[in-house]
Amino acid sequence: MKKLLTLLLLLVFSTGYTQNICLSAEEKKIYDLLISYRKGKGLSSIPVSGKLTKVAQAHARDLAENYDYSQENNPCNMHSWSDKGSWSACCYTDDHAQAACMWNKPKEIAGYEGSGYEIAHFNSAGVTAQEAIDGWKGSKFHNEVMINLSIWKQVKWQAVGVGVYKEFAVVWFGEKIDSVGAERCK
């Protein structure tokens, strides 16, 4: 019994798995629509990542609670993070000068071993899965990330995480396999 408990604790701490990560119904719809879209383009599926989902869910909530659209000439876009959480704040500008502040969030927040790349969507009436996917498809740069075009052509996505909260939907993509999965919340 002691050996079994030791093995279980070793497994928990070696994988970084410390809590159940699950997808809401709307998050699962985004994932399913994303994978269906990729398959329609002849691309492979991407496994759901518990670590990237943790980051996506935290960022969707941070955006909904702390991102200020009313601030005139706000240089910080939706890839920015507030100083209101257990992460370092950053202002992601359209010139991508602070891109590393986004790429490093999965490692900082969830211990994900690679960089993360995010697409984000906002709808003031509340976001839905179909509306988010359609918005990303209609955006050249977001679409390129989803279906590996342009600078993403040689990238093989090995993990994906999804977060939806109120008006925001975010999807994080990663090149490293994540042994911590996520499943549909019961």
Side-chain angles (χ1 to χ4, degrees):
M1 181 66 165
K2 186 175 180 181
K3 283 184 181 181
L4 181 61
L5 183 57
T6 302
L7 181 62
L8 182 58
L9 287 173
L10 180 62
L11 179 63
V12 167
F13 290 111
S14 68
T15 63
Y17 186 76
T18 57
Q19 65 180 7
N20 289 333
I21 301 293
C22 62
L23 300 175
S24 70
E26 209 62 24
E27 290 164 345
K28 177 75 166 82
K29 283 181 197 172
I30 287 177
Y31 174 76
D32 291 342
L33 288 167
L34 170 65
I35 298 308
S36 175
Y37 180 49
R38 286 179 56 80
K39 286 186 176 180
K41 300 287 186 184
L43 299 168
S44 62
S45 184
I46 309 168
V48 177
S49 161
K51 291 177 182 179
L52 292 179
T53 295
K54 179 179 180 177
V55 176
Q57 290 171 346
H59 199 210
R61 181 177 289 274
D62 183 47
L63 287 167
E65 294 176 353
N66 300 304
Y67 187 71
D68 187 3
Y69 273 103
S70 66
Q71 188 180 20
E72 192 170 324
N73 299 318
N74 184 357
C76 305
N77 66 31
M78 284 194 299
H79 299 302
S80 301
W81 288 74
S82 77
D83 61 358
K84 309 272 192 281
S86 59
W87 50 76
S88 58
C90 74
C91 176
Y92 193 110
T93 53
D94 290 338
D95 65 2
H96 308 290
Q98 300 299 321
C101 81
M102 176 189 52
W103 300 337
N104 295 330
K105 286 299 179 239
K107 185 175 291 180
E108 178 185 349
I109 292 170
Y112 180 73
E113 292 303 316
S115 295
Y117 306 94
E118 178 188 55
I119 58 176
H121 186 78
F122 169 80
N123 183 327
S124 62
V127 71
T128 67
Q130 188 66 59
E131 191 258 335
I133 289 289
D134 289 345
W136 290 322
K137 284 180 179 180
S139 165
K140 178 184 183 321
F141 299 112
H142 293 101
N143 192 53
E144 289 174 353
V145 174
M146 289 194 305
I147 58 172
N148 298 95
L149 297 175
S150 189
I151 65 170
W152 307 104
K153 191 166 185 70
Q154 301 304 315
V155 174
K156 179 162 175 47
W157 297 131
Q158 298 285 344
V160 66
V162 183
V164 174
Y165 188 75
K166 295 183 180 181
E167 306 95 355
F168 292 90
V170 296
V171 176
W172 282 79
F173 296 85
E175 297 176 75
K176 300 284 185 183
I177 294 171
D178 180 9
S179 61
V180 180
E183 34 185 71
R184 170 97 160 68
C185 298
K186 305 223 178 335

